[in-house]
Amino acid sequence: MTPPPARRRRTGVKGAVPAHNLPRRGAVRRAQAITTYGVGSLIAVDHESFIVSGMDGADENWSLDESPRIHERRLARVLGVDYFRLPPASDDNSKDGLRVRRFPLMHSCPECTELQRHRDFNPPGGRSICGTCEVDLVPSRFVVACEAGHLGEFPYWQWVHRSTNRGATAAGQCGGKLKLRSSGRTSSLRSILVSCTCGQAPEVSMEGSFRRNALKDLGLTCRGTRPWLGTSAAAQECGLLLRTLQRGSSSVWQPVLKSALSIPPWSDGRADPLAEHWDALRQYDSREHVEIYLKGAFKGVCPVPLDEVMALLDAEREEDSDGEAAPTFDHRYRALRNKEYERLRSGNDESEHSRDEQFVCETPLGDQRVLGPLGVTGPMLVKKLREVRALKAFTRLIDAESTTDSKEMPLSESPLRWLPAMEVRGEGVFLRLDEDRLGSWEKATAVAARIERIRTAHQRVLEQRAGDPSRVVPSPATPRMVLLHTLAHALINEWSLEAGYPAASLRERLYAADDMAGVLVYTATSDSAGSLGGLVAQGEPELLDRTLRSAVHRAEWCSSDPLCMETEASGTGGTNLAACHACVMLPETSCEHNNILLDRALLVGAPDDPHVGFFAHILDH
């Protein structure tokens, strides 16, 4: 990896050695520390490979002076923490960055072809070269992982000696040394050859090492290793099936990201000083007890007036799940989205709030009746917006969007009172679909049939990835969800062409449930696209009407038609129908569902049934 020029929002990558005089190994952008190179992920720096250290001892692994606190009470409450922190920044004046550890430890030398642990090559201090040949060492291309999130070295010794009935015994008993070479005939696994100098086992290729039961056949199961926590981390009893992966595979690490919009009464920042006290405050019902607690906690003077504290407590209790003593995480996260939807519908006026207000959502001035024939209603101009995205955990081998808590690997062994997060400040446009018209459209047999094909395919993919069918999360594919999702993609593509926004700078936020049918499109990277009102201006009814009509007309045809429109299945595991990169797919950073659960026919209709499209009536068939 060639580091970009130094910028304040970069995060330095440093070796996991004592805190003083740490060597700088490279740099990543600050946002990548939760989306791409978070805790437990592998990062390539030049010809070396490292794993990002865990959050245990975060004051040592992260420089907290360079990791400012950020607050978002609603999200913190759902995730069970007090607050969040930005990843440590790094520039020429900073003292620290992210800590990393060398992984995998198995390396090979292209000259002498020896395959052994990095330290056994006797490299000079701070360098990764063979002490004998003085050429750059090559980290192992292969690692092993299980669905519980553990990660380990590929068992080369057992793989070579599998034919000698000693494949499952401890490595090194034969007294030989491993060698790795490439025959150069092809680029396939068959050309990667591993041997042992003991002469008791033939040279074998890596072909077949990626079979689902390849390591199980050797008698190997997961030992629960967690190299991102260092050698002091005790191995956990696991026993799950191990899978071989390429070191750079996306299946090695997937972040579990959760986000929330800052909405009143939490969006003016006045409640931030109380971040670590809410759990205690919620135990008190009376105003007198709350006042006594605050005087003790703040040694006399609380920075937040008592009336405001009581109002915030009332607002928090109002968000509690109705009638559920112990609601699940998914239930609480859905409740968080419901509150956002209500606030986006009702809006607020900037003139009614202080300059610190981070959420301003107003009704457009134009005549909204022009949108009625389209089946669209309730557009809102979100002039100020703040979103906090937090790294909750990570997964391996499993799709992070559909995982359960039992399959998520936490960022540390001990419970954390904060999580790494990023905040985005921008603007957006919110719109809803007419419930009456949407309800009639959802009941159409042809619509239900297309959705059932998508839902069945997605459910099959979820079951394959989960391994245990009893833990499978049901597919979220419903007619309104797929329609809103595809509409959001069409709008983002249209605004990227007509309003000058790069598609990667816009992001969708879907509100699709029995009582919700809305979509928010907002600036996802305020530093690159800005918050200068350009997107908000697109929400005025007359302009929005033209944009929607243009987006629908543009979606009517795809350069891959008729294959795109008439395909029986597309996308990963058939989780899309009429959708491809030439029509409605987006950069994955802009999409909440990784470009699955899309069907352009639900917007414009299919050749054999034009009425399956929600907006088909505005097209000339």
Side-chain angles (χ1 to χ4, degrees):
M1 178 179 76
T2 302
R7 297 174 65 186
R8 181 63 192 172
R9 69 177 145 276
R10 279 183 6 188
T11 295
V13 179
K14 299 189 176 185
V17 294
H20 56 280
N21 298 324
L22 288 174
R24 188 180 299 278
R25 296 290 188 178
V28 296
R29 293 193 303 275
R30 203 172 203 177
Q32 288 180 305
I34 68 168
T35 58
T36 310
Y37 301 120
V39 170
S41 67
L42 297 182
I43 178 172
V45 181
D46 296 329
H47 59 276
E48 299 181 75
S49 176
F50 302 92
I51 190 167
V52 180
S53 297
M55 301 297 296
D56 285 294
D59 54 337
E60 298 176 3
N61 290 339
W62 281 23
S63 175
L64 300 188
D65 292 338
E66 298 176 4
S67 304
R69 290 190 184 191
I70 56 177
H71 298 277
E72 172 43 55
R73 172 57 188 166
R74 296 169 61 249
L75 184 61
R77 181 185 172 204
V78 170
L79 296 178
V81 296
D82 293 332
Y83 56 91
F84 304 98
R85 284 190 181 272
L86 292 172
S90 180
D91 60 14
D92 294 338
N93 298 319
S94 66
K95 299 178 181 179
D96 212 343
L98 293 180
R99 303 295 169 81
V100 297
R101 305 173 189 274
R102 190 178 299 280
F103 186 86
L105 297 179
M106 293 296 289
H107 284 61
S108 61
C109 174
E111 284 288 331
C112 61
T113 69
E114 287 193 0
L115 174 65
Q116 57 190 355
R117 294 172 72 88
H118 183 269
R119 65 169 181 251
D120 295 334
F121 284 99
N122 296 316
R127 301 185 64 189
S128 182
I129 63 173
C130 177
T132 303
C133 307
E134 296 187 351
V135 298
D136 291 337
L137 295 175
V138 180
S140 169
R141 283 177 52 186
F142 310 104
V143 295
V144 296
C146 78
E147 291 182 350
H150 300 116
L151 186 70
E153 305 273 355
F154 182 82
Y156 288 102
W157 196 90
Q158 289 88 340
W159 184 253
V160 171
H161 293 84
R162 64 183 186 270
S163 62
T164 64
N165 296 322
R166 294 196 296 183
T169 58
Q173 287 187 351
C174 64
K177 287 190 174 182
L178 294 176
K179 298 275 188 175
L180 184 145
R181 69 182 183 89
S182 174
S183 67
R185 296 178 181 176
T186 68
S187 58
S188 67
L189 294 174
R190 183 180 299 179
S191 295
I192 301 175
L193 304 173
V194 187
S195 60
C196 183
T197 58
C198 69
Q200 300 177 24
E203 185 176 57
V204 299
S205 75
M206 291 297 294
E207 187 176 27
S209 59
F210 282 73
R211 288 189 301 106
R212 185 175 183 85
N213 293 319
L215 301 181
K216 181 180 179 182
D217 293 342
L218 297 181
L220 300 175
T221 55
C222 180
R223 298 167 58 190
T225 52
R226 296 169 293 169
W228 61 95
L229 299 180
T231 55
S232 60
Q236 299 175 327
E237 290 297 328
C238 182
L240 290 179
L241 180 72
L242 281 172
R243 295 285 301 277
T244 304
L245 297 170
Q246 293 267 15
R247 175 163 48 90
S249 168
S250 60
S251 296
V252 170
W253 189 85
Q254 288 196 37
V256 179
L257 295 172
K258 300 300 177 182
S259 67
L261 302 181
S262 295
I263 61 174
W266 310 96
S267 52
D268 58 6
R270 293 179 60 84
D272 293 352
L274 302 174
E276 299 178 37
H277 302 281
W278 287 114
D279 289 341
L281 287 170
R282 283 173 57 85
Q283 300 175 16
Y284 303 111
D285 294 326
S286 70
R287 183 186 179 91
E288 292 75 18
H289 289 154
V290 170
E291 185 175 16
I292 293 171
Y293 174 84
L294 291 175
K295 285 182 178 179
F298 290 95
K299 296 181 173 57
V301 180
C302 177
V304 184
L306 182 59
D307 289 341
E308 290 189 22
V309 175
M310 298 307 298
L312 290 168
L313 283 171
D314 290 341
E316 182 157 300
R317 293 188 178 108
E318 187 180 331
E319 292 192 24
D320 286 340
S321 303
D322 296 332
E324 287 207 25
T328 64
F329 174 83
D330 289 338
H331 189 99
R332 287 182 284 128
Y333 194 59
R334 265 195 311 273
L336 180 146
R337 286 289 183 108
N338 288 339
K339 283 295 179 183
E340 291 178 6
Y341 183 74
E342 292 175 10
R343 176 56 68 173
L344 287 166
R345 286 189 63 174
S346 60
N348 66 344
D349 192 327
E350 186 173 12
S351 62
E352 299 175 0
H353 299 278
S354 67
R355 290 186 303 172
D356 296 328
E357 179 59 53
Q358 298 166 345
F359 180 87
V360 177
C361 180
E362 299 179 354
T363 304
L365 298 176
D367 186 359
Q368 299 186 27
R369 290 177 295 179
V370 300
L371 297 172
L374 297 179
V376 172
T377 185
M380 299 293 287
L381 309 181
V382 188
K383 294 184 175 181
K384 291 179 69 175
L385 179 79
R386 176 179 180 261
E387 181 197 24
V388 175
R389 300 177 198 159
L391 177 62
K392 175 178 180 272
F394 63 88
T395 65
R396 306 195 196 278
L397 299 174
I398 298 174
D399 181 7
E401 291 295 322
S402 55
T403 187
T404 58
D405 287 345
S406 62
K407 296 292 186 179
E408 295 176 358
M409 177 60 71
L411 305 183
S412 70
E413 279 193 284
S414 55
L416 291 172
R417 297 312 303 164
W418 59 271
L419 290 173
M422 289 294 297
E423 61 179 349
V424 173
R425 299 174 188 270
E427 61 188 10
V429 175
F430 174 74
L431 58 87
R432 294 180 287 124
L433 297 183
D434 181 83
E435 287 283 358
D436 294 335
R437 181 139 178 264
L438 182 61
S440 301
W441 174 83
E442 286 177 313
K443 296 174 183 176
T445 303
V447 171
R450 292 187 73 89
I451 294 300
E452 183 59 25
R453 286 159 60 188
I454 295 176
R455 193 203 64 78
T456 301
H458 190 216
Q459 198 67 44
R460 182 170 58 249
V461 170
L462 294 178
E463 291 173 357
Q464 291 171 351
R465 291 175 176 173
D468 183 358
S470 64
R471 297 181 181 271
V472 176
V473 177
S475 170
T478 62
R480 69 174 59 196
M481 183 270 167
V482 178
L483 172 62
L484 286 166
H485 192 198
T486 312
L487 175 61
H489 281 224
L491 279 172
I492 290 174
N493 277 330
E494 186 67 21
W495 280 326
S496 71
L497 293 171
E498 300 296 334
Y501 281 90
S505 73
L506 300 178
R507 186 174 173 86
E508 67 182 6
R509 194 166 181 87
L510 305 178
Y511 299 91
D514 292 341
D515 54 349
M516 296 191 296
V519 59
L520 171 68
V521 176
Y522 61 103
T523 51
T525 51
S526 57
D527 60 330
S528 64
S531 302
L532 304 177
L535 182 58
V536 166
Q538 304 298 316
E540 287 294 339
E542 295 80 4
L543 185 53
L544 183 58
D545 175 67
R546 293 199 300 269
T547 300
L548 283 166
R549 291 179 184 274
S550 178
V552 171
H553 278 282
R554 197 182 302 277
E556 187 179 11
W557 293 101
C558 171
S559 59
S560 296
D561 280 340
L563 294 178
C564 177
M565 178 59 76
E566 297 179 1
T567 184
E568 292 296 319
S570 67
T572 305
T575 50
N576 290 332
L577 288 182
C580 70
H581 283 286
C583 52
V584 294
M585 284 191 175
L586 294 175
E588 293 205 354
T589 54
S590 300
C591 178
E592 283 196 309
H593 295 282
N594 295 323
N595 274 330
I596 65 171
L597 309 180
L598 294 165
D599 184 9
R600 184 164 49 95
L602 297 187
L603 292 181
V604 300
D608 57 342
D609 190 353
H611 300 292
V612 76
F614 185 83
F615 297 100
H617 61 287
I618 67 173
L619 300 171
D620 294 326
H621 289 286

